Amino acid sequence: MLKKKQNVRNRYTTTPLAEVMVADEEFIDMVGQPRRELERELALNYNLEQVVADLVDNSIDAGAENVWVIYNEEEYNNRNSFFVAVIDDGKGIPDNKISSVMDFGAPREYDELELGKFGVGMKSSSLSQAREVTLLSKTEGSSINLRRLSSEVVIEKDAWTLIPKLRDHMHTEAISLAKRSIAELESGSAVVLEDMHKLKHRIGDGERESYLTDEYGHIKDYLGLVFERYIEGTALQRENGSKEFRKVNIFFNGKSEAHKIEKLDPFLREMKDGTSTGTLSKTIPMTLDDGNKIHKIELNIWITPNDTDRGQDYDARMKNAARDSGISELQGIYFYRNERLIDFPGWKKIVKHEPHATCVRWEMHFPPSLDDIFQLDPSKREIQLPRILFDQMTKISRTAFKWHMDDSKSINHRARAKIRQGGKDKPQTIAPPSTPPATPSPTPGATTGSTGSTGTPSKPDAWSARALTKVSIKKLEGSITGHLFVSERTDGDSLQITLNTKHGLYKAFIDAMKKE
């Protein structure tokens, strides 16, 4: 009989003699390869803005009201390098939990309203951009604790290990900045990404300033889009129906109001103003049976204003958020989990991408209890649409509606978007007055109108050209770098002007108007 190896574990059953003995099971320990596994983590395909969003998720889950994102250059190991630090004023991490937070997939219970899920996102996404990941944290009344996941140490030891103290060359400008920032707070955390191995290849030796400006735009507008509801302030709903309010300020490379990231609404809900050229929407209820419960899920179909009415910097910000996708590519379905944008854009094969559907975007929210049904991946970047919803949404895509009081007939969303995109929306018409204005008698020798010698035209000029008699001003929270005048359009006899309230001259303009 062959001897069993020492690394084989046996499990024996204790059954009565009358019963059949169950065969032994063998368990063979697997040998890990930390160096090779590290190579895999470093090669994962995250964009930098997605990594930063993962870190902001953790800050929001920690109850932070303010999050500061710092992206800058430093000297690391005697060479120029980049770092990213995400610092928050959340509750911090207790001393006895800080190591497990940095471990891959350490067991932990997640609250249903949290944005975290698998316990691997922060580490995996961070390593995809940085070889060195440092977590610093303190709770109220405690001192700062530190853990570092260092590629240098993993390769040296050929083991997944954390270090609680930094080596001499690891005391960098980024670490000093993080320590100073947390010291000023009652509680909080900072994650510092250093030795950013992908950025140095992407930037090269070209125009660094231009590249960094582009990268700053991608990060700011992506965060403004993904966390739009949190920046605005939102109520999260639990399965039992109770609600909790969340609001967070996110700052980029500074702490002043000018450094605050502006929200970016993909549906332009603020422009749903009742006019024929404002944002249009339809809400359609759907149901999803997960085998235990029937869930009610709403699908919101949005048709945005066309490019001339959306605002001067809106399309640029949306393209920035999607890392320079064309504006036409931003049509499709936007999926939210706990009010955080997860997956966008694209149609999930419900309909085909068409250039004339640029103005169409669908909105769907699902609760964390349906993570398995939607097959949410560990990166929290993609879902798979359940077949039962796919079938319902395919039917909805062909359904005709009346979208606005000026629509002459019911049409589906793509036909309506084509009208909107082509600028063919017409303001509501105004009937001519029932009594035509008095017309003076023609002077001798004057030319008569088309009706003969009466001198009264068959259609007075005052009727054929509708006069604008009113001015209405609409306010829109735009960007501090955007234009003061966002848009100008007519609606019946009214001229509607939309002003950017974030512009530096907005208050001065309003004050000047009041003095007139």
Side-chain angles (χ1 to χ4, degrees), residues 305-363:
N306 65 22
D307 56 349
T308 59
D309 291 324
R310 282 194 292 259
Q312 305 235 354
D313 66 341
Y314 175 80
D315 283 4
R317 289 193 69 198
M318 285 296 295
K319 289 189 287 184
N320 254 342
R323 195 160 277 272
D324 287 331
S325 294
I327 195 67
S328 174
E329 297 171 77
L330 292 170
Q331 63 184 269
I333 313 170
Y334 288 65
F335 293 92
Y336 292 79
R337 175 184 180 270
N338 276 343
E339 299 291 319
R340 193 258 207 214
L341 181 58
I342 293 289
D343 188 336
F344 78 100
W347 287 111
K348 301 292 184 185
K349 298 184 178 180
I350 289 174
V351 295
K352 292 181 179 179
H353 174 278
E354 292 183 26
H356 68 246
T358 294
C359 296
V360 178
R361 288 166 193 161
W362 290 12
E363 173 189 11

Short mmCIF file of all heavy atoms in Angstrom, two decimals, residues 305-363:
data_model
loop_
_atom_site.label_atom_id
_atom_site.label_comp_id
_atom_site.label_asym_id
_atom_site.label_seq_id
_atom_site.Cartn_x
_atom_site.Cartn_y
_atom_site.Cartn_z
N PRO A 305 -31.53 67.55 -24.74
CA PRO A 305 -31.54 68.58 -25.78
C PRO A 305 -30.46 68.28 -26.82
O PRO A 305 -29.53 67.51 -26.57
CB PRO A 305 -31.23 69.86 -25.01
CG PRO A 305 -31.68 69.58 -23.61
CD PRO A 305 -31.39 68.13 -23.40
N ASN A 306 -30.57 68.90 -27.99
CA ASN A 306 -29.54 68.67 -29.00
C ASN A 306 -28.29 69.47 -28.66
O ASN A 306 -28.25 70.21 -27.68
CB ASN A 306 -30.04 68.95 -30.41
CG ASN A 306 -30.39 70.43 -30.63
OD1 ASN A 306 -29.90 71.31 -29.94
ND2 ASN A 306 -31.25 70.69 -31.61
N ASP A 307 -27.24 69.30 -29.46
CA ASP A 307 -25.94 69.85 -29.10
C ASP A 307 -25.94 71.37 -28.95
O ASP A 307 -25.18 71.92 -28.16
CB ASP A 307 -24.87 69.42 -30.11
CG ASP A 307 -25.22 69.80 -31.54
OD1 ASP A 307 -26.36 70.21 -31.78
OD2 ASP A 307 -24.34 69.68 -32.42
N THR A 308 -26.81 72.07 -29.68
CA THR A 308 -26.83 73.53 -29.59
C THR A 308 -27.48 74.01 -28.29
O THR A 308 -27.25 75.14 -27.86
CB THR A 308 -27.58 74.15 -30.78
OG1 THR A 308 -28.93 73.66 -30.80
CG2 THR A 308 -26.89 73.80 -32.09
N ASP A 309 -28.28 73.16 -27.65
CA ASP A 309 -28.98 73.55 -26.43
C ASP A 309 -28.37 72.94 -25.16
O ASP A 309 -28.76 73.32 -24.07
CB ASP A 309 -30.46 73.13 -26.51
CG ASP A 309 -31.23 73.94 -27.54
OD1 ASP A 309 -30.94 75.13 -27.67
OD2 ASP A 309 -32.12 73.38 -28.19
N ARG A 310 -27.46 71.97 -25.32
CA ARG A 310 -26.94 71.27 -24.14
C ARG A 310 -25.98 72.13 -23.32
O ARG A 310 -25.77 71.86 -22.15
CB ARG A 310 -26.24 69.98 -24.56
CG ARG A 310 -27.19 68.86 -24.90
CD ARG A 310 -26.47 67.54 -24.97
NE ARG A 310 -25.55 67.43 -26.08
CZ ARG A 310 -25.79 66.79 -27.22
NH1 ARG A 310 -26.97 66.24 -27.42
NH2 ARG A 310 -24.88 66.71 -28.17
N GLY A 311 -25.36 73.12 -23.90
CA GLY A 311 -24.37 73.90 -23.17
C GLY A 311 -22.99 73.73 -23.78
O GLY A 311 -22.67 72.66 -24.31
N GLN A 312 -22.18 74.76 -23.69
CA GLN A 312 -20.92 74.80 -24.43
C GLN A 312 -19.90 73.76 -23.96
O GLN A 312 -19.12 73.24 -24.75
CB GLN A 312 -20.32 76.20 -24.33
CG GLN A 312 -21.28 77.27 -24.78
CD GLN A 312 -20.71 78.14 -25.87
OE1 GLN A 312 -19.57 78.02 -26.23
NE2 GLN A 312 -21.53 79.03 -26.39
N ASP A 313 -19.86 73.47 -22.64
CA ASP A 313 -18.82 72.56 -22.17
C ASP A 313 -19.35 71.18 -21.79
O ASP A 313 -18.60 70.31 -21.37
CB ASP A 313 -18.08 73.17 -20.98
CG ASP A 313 -18.97 73.31 -19.75
OD1 ASP A 313 -20.21 73.28 -19.90
OD2 ASP A 313 -18.42 73.45 -18.64
N TYR A 314 -20.67 70.97 -21.93
CA TYR A 314 -21.25 69.70 -21.48
C TYR A 314 -20.71 68.51 -22.28
O TYR A 314 -20.27 67.51 -21.70
CB TYR A 314 -22.78 69.76 -21.58
CG TYR A 314 -23.44 68.45 -21.24
CD1 TYR A 314 -23.62 68.07 -19.92
CD2 TYR A 314 -23.86 67.57 -22.24
CE1 TYR A 314 -24.21 66.86 -19.60
CE2 TYR A 314 -24.45 66.36 -21.93
CZ TYR A 314 -24.62 66.01 -20.61
OH TYR A 314 -25.19 64.81 -20.30
N ASP A 315 -20.76 68.59 -23.60
CA ASP A 315 -20.28 67.47 -24.42
C ASP A 315 -18.80 67.19 -24.17
O ASP A 315 -18.37 66.03 -24.13
CB ASP A 315 -20.51 67.76 -25.91
CG ASP A 315 -21.97 67.57 -26.32
OD1 ASP A 315 -22.80 67.29 -25.42
OD2 ASP A 315 -22.27 67.69 -27.52
N ALA A 316 -18.02 68.25 -23.99
CA ALA A 316 -16.58 68.07 -23.74
C ALA A 316 -16.37 67.32 -22.43
O ALA A 316 -15.51 66.43 -22.34
CB ALA A 316 -15.89 69.43 -23.70
N ARG A 317 -17.13 67.64 -21.40
CA ARG A 317 -17.00 66.96 -20.11
C ARG A 317 -17.42 65.49 -20.22
O ARG A 317 -16.79 64.61 -19.64
CB ARG A 317 -17.84 67.65 -19.04
CG ARG A 317 -17.32 69.01 -18.60
CD ARG A 317 -18.02 69.46 -17.32
NE ARG A 317 -17.63 68.62 -16.19
CZ ARG A 317 -18.31 68.55 -15.06
NH1 ARG A 317 -19.46 69.21 -14.91
NH2 ARG A 317 -17.89 67.78 -14.07
N MET A 318 -18.50 65.22 -20.94
CA MET A 318 -18.94 63.84 -21.11
C MET A 318 -17.89 63.01 -21.85
O MET A 318 -17.60 61.86 -21.49
CB MET A 318 -20.27 63.79 -21.86
CG MET A 318 -21.48 64.19 -21.03
SD MET A 318 -21.83 63.06 -19.64
CE MET A 318 -22.25 61.55 -20.52
N LYS A 319 -17.31 63.59 -22.89
CA LYS A 319 -16.26 62.88 -23.63
C LYS A 319 -15.04 62.67 -22.76
O LYS A 319 -14.39 61.62 -22.84
CB LYS A 319 -15.91 63.64 -24.91
CG LYS A 319 -17.01 63.59 -25.97
CD LYS A 319 -16.55 64.16 -27.30
CE LYS A 319 -16.43 65.66 -27.27
NZ LYS A 319 -16.08 66.22 -28.59
N ASN A 320 -14.70 63.64 -21.94
CA ASN A 320 -13.59 63.49 -21.01
C ASN A 320 -13.84 62.34 -20.04
O ASN A 320 -12.95 61.54 -19.76
CB ASN A 320 -13.42 64.78 -20.19
CG ASN A 320 -12.22 65.58 -20.63
OD1 ASN A 320 -11.31 65.07 -21.28
ND2 ASN A 320 -12.21 66.85 -20.26
N ALA A 321 -15.06 62.27 -19.51
CA ALA A 321 -15.40 61.23 -18.53
C ALA A 321 -15.27 59.83 -19.13
O ALA A 321 -14.92 58.88 -18.43
CB ALA A 321 -16.82 61.45 -18.02
N ALA A 322 -15.56 59.72 -20.42
CA ALA A 322 -15.47 58.41 -21.10
C ALA A 322 -14.13 58.26 -21.82
O ALA A 322 -14.01 57.46 -22.74
CB ALA A 322 -16.61 58.27 -22.08
N ARG A 323 -13.13 59.06 -21.40
CA ARG A 323 -11.79 59.03 -21.99
C ARG A 323 -11.85 59.23 -23.49
O ARG A 323 -11.39 58.42 -24.28
CB ARG A 323 -11.05 57.75 -21.61
CG ARG A 323 -9.55 57.84 -21.88
CD ARG A 323 -8.75 56.81 -21.10
NE ARG A 323 -8.45 57.25 -19.74
CZ ARG A 323 -7.38 57.96 -19.40
NH1 ARG A 323 -6.52 58.33 -20.32
NH2 ARG A 323 -7.17 58.30 -18.15
N ASP A 324 -12.47 60.35 -23.87
CA ASP A 324 -12.49 60.83 -25.24
C ASP A 324 -13.24 59.93 -26.22
O ASP A 324 -12.89 59.84 -27.39
CB ASP A 324 -11.06 61.07 -25.76
CG ASP A 324 -10.44 62.31 -25.14
OD1 ASP A 324 -11.21 63.22 -24.79
OD2 ASP A 324 -9.22 62.36 -25.00
N SER A 325 -14.26 59.25 -25.74
CA SER A 325 -15.21 58.64 -26.68
C SER A 325 -15.94 59.76 -27.40
O SER A 325 -16.14 60.84 -26.85
CB SER A 325 -16.22 57.76 -25.93
OG SER A 325 -15.58 56.66 -25.33
N GLY A 326 -16.36 59.50 -28.64
CA GLY A 326 -17.17 60.49 -29.33
C GLY A 326 -18.51 60.66 -28.64
O GLY A 326 -18.99 59.74 -27.97
N ILE A 327 -19.12 61.82 -28.78
CA ILE A 327 -20.39 62.07 -28.10
C ILE A 327 -21.46 61.09 -28.55
O ILE A 327 -22.34 60.69 -27.78
CB ILE A 327 -20.85 63.53 -28.29
CG1 ILE A 327 -21.95 63.89 -27.29
CG2 ILE A 327 -21.29 63.79 -29.72
CD1 ILE A 327 -21.49 63.92 -25.86
N SER A 328 -21.39 60.63 -29.80
CA SER A 328 -22.36 59.66 -30.29
C SER A 328 -22.23 58.31 -29.57
O SER A 328 -23.20 57.58 -29.41
CB SER A 328 -22.18 59.45 -31.80
OG SER A 328 -23.03 58.43 -32.27
N GLU A 329 -21.01 58.00 -29.12
CA GLU A 329 -20.77 56.72 -28.42
C GLU A 329 -21.31 56.73 -27.01
O GLU A 329 -21.34 55.67 -26.35
CB GLU A 329 -19.28 56.42 -28.41
CG GLU A 329 -18.66 56.21 -29.79
CD GLU A 329 -17.15 56.13 -29.72
OE1 GLU A 329 -16.64 55.07 -29.32
OE2 GLU A 329 -16.47 57.12 -30.06
N LEU A 330 -21.75 57.88 -26.51
CA LEU A 330 -22.23 57.96 -25.15
C LEU A 330 -23.73 57.71 -25.02
O LEU A 330 -24.30 57.83 -23.95
CB LEU A 330 -21.87 59.33 -24.56
CG LEU A 330 -20.37 59.51 -24.37
CD1 LEU A 330 -20.03 60.95 -24.02
CD2 LEU A 330 -19.84 58.58 -23.30
N GLN A 331 -24.37 57.35 -26.13
CA GLN A 331 -25.75 56.87 -26.06
C GLN A 331 -25.74 55.49 -25.42
O GLN A 331 -24.71 54.81 -25.35
CB GLN A 331 -26.35 56.77 -27.47
CG GLN A 331 -25.64 55.78 -28.38
CD GLN A 331 -26.20 55.77 -29.79
OE1 GLN A 331 -27.10 55.02 -30.09
NE2 GLN A 331 -25.63 56.60 -30.66
N GLY A 332 -26.87 55.04 -24.92
CA GLY A 332 -26.94 53.70 -24.35
C GLY A 332 -27.50 53.68 -22.95
O GLY A 332 -28.16 54.63 -22.50
N ILE A 333 -27.22 52.60 -22.22
CA ILE A 333 -27.80 52.36 -20.90
C ILE A 333 -26.77 52.69 -19.83
O ILE A 333 -25.62 52.26 -19.90
CB ILE A 333 -28.27 50.91 -20.75
CG1 ILE A 333 -29.09 50.48 -21.98
CG2 ILE A 333 -29.10 50.74 -19.48
CD1 ILE A 333 -29.40 49.01 -22.02
N TYR A 334 -27.23 53.40 -18.80
CA TYR A 334 -26.40 53.76 -17.66
C TYR A 334 -26.95 53.02 -16.44
O TYR A 334 -28.07 53.27 -16.01
CB TYR A 334 -26.42 55.27 -17.44
CG TYR A 334 -25.66 56.06 -18.49
CD1 TYR A 334 -26.07 56.07 -19.82
CD2 TYR A 334 -24.51 56.77 -18.17
CE1 TYR A 334 -25.37 56.76 -20.80
CE2 TYR A 334 -23.80 57.49 -19.13
CZ TYR A 334 -24.24 57.47 -20.43
OH TYR A 334 -23.54 58.16 -21.41
N PHE A 335 -26.14 52.11 -15.89
CA PHE A 335 -26.58 51.27 -14.77
C PHE A 335 -26.01 51.82 -13.45
O PHE A 335 -24.82 52.12 -13.35
CB PHE A 335 -26.11 49.82 -14.95
CG PHE A 335 -26.75 49.11 -16.10
CD1 PHE A 335 -26.16 49.10 -17.36
CD2 PHE A 335 -27.95 48.43 -15.92
CE1 PHE A 335 -26.75 48.43 -18.42
CE2 PHE A 335 -28.55 47.77 -16.99
CZ PHE A 335 -27.95 47.77 -18.23
N TYR A 336 -26.89 51.90 -12.45
CA TYR A 336 -26.50 52.42 -11.14
C TYR A 336 -26.74 51.37 -10.06
O TYR A 336 -27.73 50.65 -10.08
CB TYR A 336 -27.32 53.67 -10.79
CG TYR A 336 -27.01 54.87 -11.64
CD1 TYR A 336 -27.54 54.99 -12.93
CD2 TYR A 336 -26.19 55.89 -11.17
CE1 TYR A 336 -27.27 56.10 -13.72
CE2 TYR A 336 -25.91 57.01 -11.95
CZ TYR A 336 -26.45 57.11 -13.22
OH TYR A 336 -26.16 58.20 -13.99
N ARG A 337 -25.82 51.33 -9.11
CA ARG A 337 -25.96 50.49 -7.92
C ARG A 337 -25.72 51.38 -6.70
O ARG A 337 -24.67 52.01 -6.60
CB ARG A 337 -24.93 49.36 -7.96
CG ARG A 337 -24.88 48.47 -6.73
CD ARG A 337 -23.74 47.47 -6.89
NE ARG A 337 -23.61 46.57 -5.76
CZ ARG A 337 -22.85 46.82 -4.69
NH1 ARG A 337 -22.18 47.96 -4.60
NH2 ARG A 337 -22.76 45.94 -3.71
N ASN A 338 -26.68 51.43 -5.81
CA ASN A 338 -26.61 52.34 -4.67
C ASN A 338 -26.30 53.77 -5.12
O ASN A 338 -25.47 54.48 -4.52
CB ASN A 338 -25.57 51.87 -3.64
CG ASN A 338 -26.13 50.83 -2.68
OD1 ASN A 338 -27.35 50.68 -2.56
ND2 ASN A 338 -25.25 50.10 -2.01
N GLU A 339 -26.92 54.19 -6.21
CA GLU A 339 -26.82 55.55 -6.74
C GLU A 339 -25.44 55.87 -7.32
O GLU A 339 -25.16 57.02 -7.66
CB GLU A 339 -27.19 56.59 -5.67
CG GLU A 339 -28.61 56.48 -5.15
CD GLU A 339 -29.66 56.86 -6.20
OE1 GLU A 339 -29.45 57.83 -6.93
OE2 GLU A 339 -30.69 56.17 -6.27
N ARG A 340 -24.59 54.88 -7.44
CA ARG A 340 -23.25 55.05 -8.01
C ARG A 340 -23.26 54.46 -9.40
O ARG A 340 -23.69 53.32 -9.60
CB ARG A 340 -22.23 54.35 -7.13
CG ARG A 340 -20.76 54.71 -7.42
CD ARG A 340 -20.10 53.61 -8.21
NE ARG A 340 -18.66 53.57 -7.96
CZ ARG A 340 -17.75 53.25 -8.86
NH1 ARG A 340 -18.12 52.93 -10.10
NH2 ARG A 340 -16.48 53.22 -8.55
N LEU A 341 -22.79 55.22 -10.40
CA LEU A 341 -22.77 54.73 -11.77
C LEU A 341 -21.75 53.60 -11.89
O LEU A 341 -20.59 53.74 -11.53
CB LEU A 341 -22.40 55.87 -12.73
CG LEU A 341 -22.34 55.53 -14.22
CD1 LEU A 341 -23.68 54.99 -14.72
CD2 LEU A 341 -21.94 56.77 -15.03
N ILE A 342 -22.22 52.45 -12.42
CA ILE A 342 -21.39 51.25 -12.50
C ILE A 342 -20.95 50.97 -13.93
O ILE A 342 -19.76 50.80 -14.21
CB ILE A 342 -22.16 50.02 -11.97
CG1 ILE A 342 -22.41 50.16 -10.46
CG2 ILE A 342 -21.40 48.73 -12.25
CD1 ILE A 342 -21.18 50.03 -9.60
N ASP A 343 -21.89 50.91 -14.84
CA ASP A 343 -21.63 50.42 -16.19
C ASP A 343 -22.24 51.42 -17.18
O ASP A 343 -23.42 51.73 -17.10
CB ASP A 343 -22.27 49.04 -16.35
CG ASP A 343 -21.88 48.36 -17.66
OD1 ASP A 343 -21.52 49.06 -18.63
OD2 ASP A 343 -21.97 47.12 -17.74
N PHE A 344 -21.43 51.91 -18.13
CA PHE A 344 -21.91 52.84 -19.16
C PHE A 344 -20.85 52.90 -20.24
O PHE A 344 -19.69 52.57 -19.98
CB PHE A 344 -22.17 54.22 -18.57
CG PHE A 344 -20.89 55.03 -18.36
CD1 PHE A 344 -20.52 56.01 -19.26
CD2 PHE A 344 -20.05 54.78 -17.27
CE1 PHE A 344 -19.34 56.75 -19.09
CE2 PHE A 344 -18.89 55.51 -17.09
CZ PHE A 344 -18.53 56.49 -18.00
N PRO A 345 -21.18 53.41 -21.44
CA PRO A 345 -22.51 53.38 -22.04
C PRO A 345 -22.64 52.08 -22.84
O PRO A 345 -21.97 51.09 -22.52
CB PRO A 345 -22.48 54.61 -22.94
CG PRO A 345 -21.05 54.66 -23.41
CD PRO A 345 -20.21 54.08 -22.28
N GLY A 346 -23.43 52.09 -23.91
CA GLY A 346 -23.64 50.90 -24.73
C GLY A 346 -25.03 50.34 -24.54
O GLY A 346 -25.68 50.61 -23.53
N TRP A 347 -25.47 49.55 -25.51
CA TRP A 347 -26.86 49.11 -25.54
C TRP A 347 -27.07 47.65 -25.12
O TRP A 347 -28.19 47.17 -25.11
CB TRP A 347 -27.44 49.30 -26.95
CG TRP A 347 -27.71 50.72 -27.30
CD1 TRP A 347 -27.07 51.50 -28.21
CD2 TRP A 347 -28.73 51.56 -26.72
NE1 TRP A 347 -27.59 52.77 -28.25
CE2 TRP A 347 -28.62 52.83 -27.35
CE3 TRP A 347 -29.70 51.38 -25.76
CZ2 TRP A 347 -29.47 53.89 -27.02
CZ3 TRP A 347 -30.54 52.44 -25.43
CH2 TRP A 347 -30.41 53.67 -26.06
N LYS A 348 -26.01 46.93 -24.78
CA LYS A 348 -26.15 45.53 -24.35
C LYS A 348 -26.94 44.70 -25.38
O LYS A 348 -27.70 43.80 -25.02
CB LYS A 348 -26.86 45.45 -22.99
CG LYS A 348 -26.15 46.17 -21.86
CD LYS A 348 -24.85 45.52 -21.49
CE LYS A 348 -24.21 46.21 -20.30
NZ LYS A 348 -22.87 45.69 -19.98
N LYS A 349 -26.77 45.04 -26.65
CA LYS A 349 -27.40 44.33 -27.78
C LYS A 349 -28.92 44.49 -27.84
O LYS A 349 -29.58 43.78 -28.61
CB LYS A 349 -27.02 42.84 -27.76
CG LYS A 349 -25.53 42.59 -27.92
CD LYS A 349 -25.22 41.11 -28.00
CE LYS A 349 -23.72 40.89 -28.22
NZ LYS A 349 -23.37 39.46 -28.31
N ILE A 350 -29.48 45.41 -27.07
CA ILE A 350 -30.92 45.63 -27.14
C ILE A 350 -31.28 46.31 -28.46
O ILE A 350 -32.25 45.96 -29.12
CB ILE A 350 -31.39 46.48 -25.94
CG1 ILE A 350 -31.30 45.63 -24.68
CG2 ILE A 350 -32.81 46.98 -26.13
CD1 ILE A 350 -31.58 46.38 -23.42
N VAL A 351 -30.51 47.31 -28.83
CA VAL A 351 -30.64 47.95 -30.14
C VAL A 351 -29.22 48.21 -30.66
O VAL A 351 -28.24 48.07 -29.93
CB VAL A 351 -31.41 49.29 -30.06
CG1 VAL A 351 -32.85 49.08 -29.66
CG2 VAL A 351 -30.72 50.26 -29.11
N LYS A 352 -29.12 48.58 -31.91
CA LYS A 352 -27.82 48.88 -32.49
C LYS A 352 -27.47 50.35 -32.26
O LYS A 352 -28.34 51.20 -32.16
CB LYS A 352 -27.83 48.58 -33.99
CG LYS A 352 -27.95 47.10 -34.33
CD LYS A 352 -27.93 46.90 -35.84
CE LYS A 352 -28.03 45.42 -36.19
NZ LYS A 352 -28.03 45.21 -37.66
N HIS A 353 -26.19 50.59 -32.22
CA HIS A 353 -25.71 51.98 -32.15
C HIS A 353 -26.01 52.67 -33.47
O HIS A 353 -25.73 52.13 -34.54
CB HIS A 353 -24.21 51.99 -31.88
CG HIS A 353 -23.59 53.37 -31.93
ND1 HIS A 353 -23.23 53.98 -33.10
CD2 HIS A 353 -23.30 54.24 -30.94
CE1 HIS A 353 -22.74 55.17 -32.84
NE2 HIS A 353 -22.75 55.35 -31.54
N GLU A 354 -26.63 53.85 -33.37
CA GLU A 354 -26.93 54.63 -34.57
C GLU A 354 -26.55 56.08 -34.33
O GLU A 354 -26.84 56.63 -33.25
CB GLU A 354 -28.41 54.52 -34.93
CG GLU A 354 -28.82 53.13 -35.39
CD GLU A 354 -30.28 53.09 -35.82
OE1 GLU A 354 -30.79 54.14 -36.23
OE2 GLU A 354 -30.90 52.02 -35.72
N PRO A 355 -25.93 56.75 -35.30
CA PRO A 355 -25.50 58.15 -35.10
C PRO A 355 -26.62 59.08 -34.71
O PRO A 355 -26.42 60.02 -33.94
CB PRO A 355 -24.91 58.51 -36.47
CG PRO A 355 -24.49 57.22 -37.08
CD PRO A 355 -25.50 56.21 -36.60
N HIS A 356 -27.84 58.84 -35.21
CA HIS A 356 -28.92 59.78 -34.91
C HIS A 356 -29.53 59.56 -33.53
O HIS A 356 -30.48 60.24 -33.15
CB HIS A 356 -30.03 59.71 -35.98
CG HIS A 356 -30.79 58.42 -36.01
ND1 HIS A 356 -30.73 57.54 -37.06
CD2 HIS A 356 -31.64 57.87 -35.11
CE1 HIS A 356 -31.51 56.50 -36.81
NE2 HIS A 356 -32.08 56.67 -35.64
N ALA A 357 -28.99 58.60 -32.75
CA ALA A 357 -29.52 58.35 -31.40
C ALA A 357 -28.63 58.96 -30.32
O ALA A 357 -28.71 58.57 -29.15
CB ALA A 357 -29.66 56.84 -31.17
N THR A 358 -27.80 59.92 -30.69
CA THR A 358 -26.90 60.55 -29.73
C THR A 358 -27.63 61.09 -28.51
O THR A 358 -27.14 61.02 -27.39
CB THR A 358 -26.11 61.69 -30.41
OG1 THR A 358 -25.25 61.14 -31.39
CG2 THR A 358 -25.28 62.47 -29.41
N CYS A 359 -28.83 61.64 -28.69
CA CYS A 359 -29.56 62.27 -27.60
C CYS A 359 -30.23 61.28 -26.65
O CYS A 359 -30.81 61.69 -25.64
CB CYS A 359 -30.63 63.22 -28.16
SG CYS A 359 -29.97 64.61 -29.08
N VAL A 360 -30.17 59.98 -26.95
CA VAL A 360 -30.90 58.99 -26.15
C VAL A 360 -29.99 58.33 -25.11
O VAL A 360 -28.92 57.83 -25.44
CB VAL A 360 -31.51 57.88 -27.03
CG1 VAL A 360 -32.22 56.85 -26.18
CG2 VAL A 360 -32.48 58.48 -28.02
N ARG A 361 -30.45 58.32 -23.86
CA ARG A 361 -29.76 57.58 -22.80
C ARG A 361 -30.80 56.95 -21.89
O ARG A 361 -31.80 57.59 -21.56
CB ARG A 361 -28.84 58.52 -22.00
CG ARG A 361 -27.62 58.92 -22.82
CD ARG A 361 -26.87 60.08 -22.26
NE ARG A 361 -25.92 60.55 -23.27
CZ ARG A 361 -25.37 61.74 -23.26
NH1 ARG A 361 -25.65 62.58 -22.31
NH2 ARG A 361 -24.53 62.10 -24.22
N TRP A 362 -30.58 55.70 -21.53
CA TRP A 362 -31.48 54.99 -20.63
C TRP A 362 -30.84 54.90 -19.25
O TRP A 362 -29.61 54.79 -19.13
CB TRP A 362 -31.77 53.58 -21.13
CG TRP A 362 -32.63 53.52 -22.37
CD1 TRP A 362 -32.98 54.55 -23.19
CD2 TRP A 362 -33.23 52.35 -22.91
NE1 TRP A 362 -33.76 54.10 -24.22
CE2 TRP A 362 -33.93 52.74 -24.07
CE3 TRP A 362 -33.24 51.01 -22.55
CZ2 TRP A 362 -34.64 51.84 -24.87
CZ3 TRP A 362 -33.95 50.10 -23.34
CH2 TRP A 362 -34.64 50.52 -24.48
N GLU A 363 -31.66 54.91 -18.22
CA GLU A 363 -31.19 54.87 -16.84
C GLU A 363 -31.85 53.70 -16.11
O GLU A 363 -33.06 53.53 -16.16
CB GLU A 363 -31.54 56.18 -16.15
CG GLU A 363 -31.25 56.21 -14.66
CD GLU A 363 -31.83 57.45 -13.99
OE1 GLU A 363 -32.63 58.18 -14.64
OE2 GLU A 363 -31.51 57.71 -12.82
#
